[in-house]
Amino acid sequence: MSHVSPVSSDGQIMEPTLRDLSEPLIDHEEGQLFLNEAFKIIVEEVFCKGTDVKQKVCEWKEPDELAQQLDLQLRDTGEPQGRLLQRVRDVAKYSIKTSHPHFFNQQFGGVDYHSLAGRFLTEALNTNLGRMIPEDLDEKIELSKSLGAVPFFVSCTSGTTVQGAFDPLDSIADVCNKHDLWMHVDAAWGGSVLFSKQHKHLMKGADRANSVAWNPHKMLVAGLQCSVLLLKDTTNLLKQCHSAKASYLFQQDKFYDVNLDIGDKSVQCSRKVDCLKLWLMWKAVGSTGLEERVDKAFLHVRYLVEQMKKRDGFLLLREPEFVNVCFWFIPPSLRGREGNADYQNRLAKVAPIIKERMMKQGTMMVGYQPLGNKVNFFRVTVFSPLISHKDLDFFLDEIERLGKDL
């Protein structure tokens, strides 16, 4: 027997009753009703309010208050459908609206590869531009070999997380060919530029790589999660590396061609079919539509940078190569005081305070971070198909409003 908790007319949970386990545990009519109502909530809270510029990007609550609001406690007895639907509504309401026009964060976390993480040698780097230096890479490989090491892999980046830097793939491919090294391109963020005739030159040489990783859920805004790994190798390499050949999962004596079974070559056996999201989106908007998304992002970046240069207090880290705009906001109290001993320490505190204010007021979301010897700066990524020039003007006005008294 299992417990069922009936609800009284005033909504109070009554003492549980026992259920006959010889009967079905699932009421399909009740489940259908729940899904229908939950879907209405998701459409209202996520799709309508979540993309409405007049709504807040986030509804801030302190963690303890939010835990109480959501009632995170788990109990022996289940809750009635009405309360479950309220949980769905609350979770949607208090989640950050990542599809909002004023959500300027990238839809993923992590550190800036900055031509460092996963690479052969960290010294092979142009620090100011965030790009790998092929000549230095070649020298370090030679040095490593002379010390008895066996290098085998170089990981390039097309679109680093913070600065949006693109490595010179053609030149790196020359080095990899010279030393017979596997060349991988992490194009998770920047790979979508290949859809644009105007901007695909940023990935010139990608066709010479042995493997390329790409996330359509980032710049193209495909549904999370949608990831691609492209291999030049045509010998079914993934299956050779990951095949478990488990007879209880992948029988070889089926009535159809078992080569059609792709589960045994996936890195994660039970992974959902990411390609369906990309295929449906591509079918819906076509290659031209995807190209427009990329070109629109670059157009908005140019506009945003132009407007920044017309205003006092905005200082670019460097001219953007991609759709990442990295900048400091210098509040009036710090302008003209760059020579003061405490200037950098004071500047480092500006972005965190502005971020706290924007989150608590729910007006927008934008990330910040330090990089090397550079103190905290903002990083705005401009790639949402919903963004207009009006939203970018709002972004600049809001940074000024939130930071003018610092």
Side-chain angles (χ1 to χ4, degrees):
M1 296 292 187
S2 63
H3 296 286
V4 180
S5 299
V7 182
S8 64
S9 58
D10 61 358
Q12 297 298 313
I13 298 179
M14 302 168 61
E15 287 298 316
T17 59
L18 296 178
R19 177 180 292 179
D20 184 354
L21 295 183
S22 66
E23 296 296 323
L25 292 177
I26 304 297
D27 183 338
H28 284 295
E29 289 187 4
E30 184 179 356
Q32 182 178 353
L33 176 62
F34 176 82
L35 289 177
N36 286 337
E37 294 303 312
F39 184 74
K40 291 177 184 177
I41 293 171
I42 292 171
V43 169
E44 176 187 355
E45 294 288 340
V46 179
F47 289 97
C48 296
K49 292 183 180 180
T51 58
D52 185 351
V53 73
K54 298 186 291 295
Q55 297 287 330
K56 290 183 176 182
V57 178
C58 67
E59 191 75 39
W60 172 260
K61 283 188 177 293
E62 294 292 338
D64 290 344
E65 185 182 1
L66 184 60
Q68 184 176 2
Q69 175 75 33
L70 296 178
D71 187 11
L72 299 179
Q73 183 179 354
L74 299 174
R75 302 177 176 86
D76 290 337
T77 57
E79 294 189 352
Q81 187 173 116
R83 291 193 180 184
L84 290 179
L85 289 171
Q86 186 59 46
R87 301 285 177 261
V88 174
R89 185 177 294 278
D90 287 342
V91 169
K93 178 179 179 179
Y94 296 112
S95 295
I96 295 174
K97 298 173 176 63
T98 59
S99 295
H100 195 284
H102 295 163
F103 180 85
F104 296 103
N105 276 5
Q106 286 169 289
Q107 294 187 3
F108 54 94
V111 298
D112 185 2
Y113 278 92
H114 197 60
S115 299
L116 292 175
R119 305 214 169 189
F120 171 62
L121 289 166
T122 60
E123 296 85 355
L125 168 70
N126 185 325
T127 303
N128 292 328
L129 300 179
R131 303 186 192 122
M132 190 183 294
I133 304 173
E135 297 80 10
D136 194 30
L137 175 67
D138 187 35
E139 292 178 7
K140 298 303 189 300
I141 292 173
E142 295 284 8
L143 175 61
S144 180
K145 286 181 175 180
S146 71
L147 297 175
V150 183
F152 67 94
F153 178 90
V154 174
S155 180
C156 316
T157 305
S158 291
T160 57
T161 304
V162 176
Q163 296 191 77
F166 283 74
D167 283 334
L169 302 182
D170 250 341
S171 298
I172 295 172
D174 291 338
V175 176
C176 290
N177 288 344
K178 174 183 175 182
H179 296 281
D180 193 24
L181 304 180
W182 182 286
M183 177 180 170
H184 174 71
V185 180
D186 177 355
W189 176 216
S192 298
V193 299
L194 288 173
F195 282 97
S196 169
K197 300 182 202 59
Q198 185 178 357
H199 302 289
K200 65 181 181 181
H201 67 275
L202 291 169
M203 284 194 64
K204 186 177 183 296
D207 57 306
R208 301 175 63 187
N210 299 96
S211 56
V212 177
W214 169 46
N215 289 156
H217 68 244
K218 293 180 180 175
M219 190 175 190
L220 295 183
V221 204
L224 281 170
Q225 177 171 334
C226 186
S227 302
V228 177
L229 177 62
L230 303 171
L231 297 171
K232 180 173 288 187
D233 187 284
T234 59
T235 63
N236 219 351
L237 187 60
L238 279 180
K239 191 165 186 177
Q240 292 184 53
C241 293
H242 296 286
S243 176
K245 297 180 180 177
S247 60
Y248 60 90
L249 289 177
F250 308 107
Q251 297 81 13
Q252 300 301 300
D253 54 355
K254 293 178 181 175
F255 62 92
Y256 56 81
D257 184 358
V258 294
N259 288 321
L260 297 174
D261 289 339
I262 61 173
D264 203 21
K265 71 176 183 180
S266 66
V267 179
Q268 296 169 279
C269 177
S270 58
R271 189 181 186 88
K272 296 178 181 178
V273 186
D274 284 355
C275 64
L276 179 62
K277 306 167 192 175
L278 175 60
W279 179 76
L280 281 175
M281 182 177 70
W282 204 329
K283 293 286 282 186
V285 304
S287 299
T288 300
L290 298 178
E291 179 179 25
E292 288 173 347
R293 293 190 180 192
V294 176
D295 289 345
K296 174 184 173 71
F298 278 88
L299 176 70
H300 283 318
V301 163
R302 290 193 293 271
Y303 175 83
L304 181 62
V305 170
E306 289 170 1
Q307 297 307 307
M308 279 185 177
K309 292 178 178 179
K310 295 178 182 178
R311 303 190 184 209
D312 294 332
F314 289 91
L315 177 63
L316 288 170
L317 183 71
R318 69 178 179 94
E319 290 289 330
E321 181 178 14
F322 190 30
V323 295
N324 304 34
V325 182
C326 300
F327 68 95
W328 290 277
F329 177 71
I330 317 296
S333 66
L334 288 181
R335 294 172 195 171
R337 301 173 184 263
E338 291 80 3
N340 291 8
D342 64 344
Y343 178 81
Q344 292 297 321
N345 288 335
R346 292 179 63 187
L347 180 59
K349 298 175 182 177
V350 171
I353 294 175
I354 293 178
K355 177 64 177 283
E356 176 185 355
R357 291 176 175 181
M358 73 174 67
M359 286 189 67
K360 289 185 174 179
Q361 295 179 31
T363 55
M364 65 182 186
M365 288 285 286
V366 59
Y368 71 87
Q369 67 283 306
L371 184 64
N373 61 354
K374 302 181 188 304
V375 299
N376 287 324
F377 55 87
F378 285 111
R379 176 203 58 182
V380 56
T381 55
V382 185
F383 66 96
S384 170
L386 298 174
I387 290 177
S388 67
H389 283 182
K390 183 178 179 180
D391 296 309
L392 298 179
D393 292 335
F394 170 84
F395 171 80
L396 296 174
D397 292 342
E398 190 67 359
I399 292 289
E400 290 178 334
R401 182 184 76 84
L402 295 171
K404 63 184 180 182
D405 63 333
L406 297 179

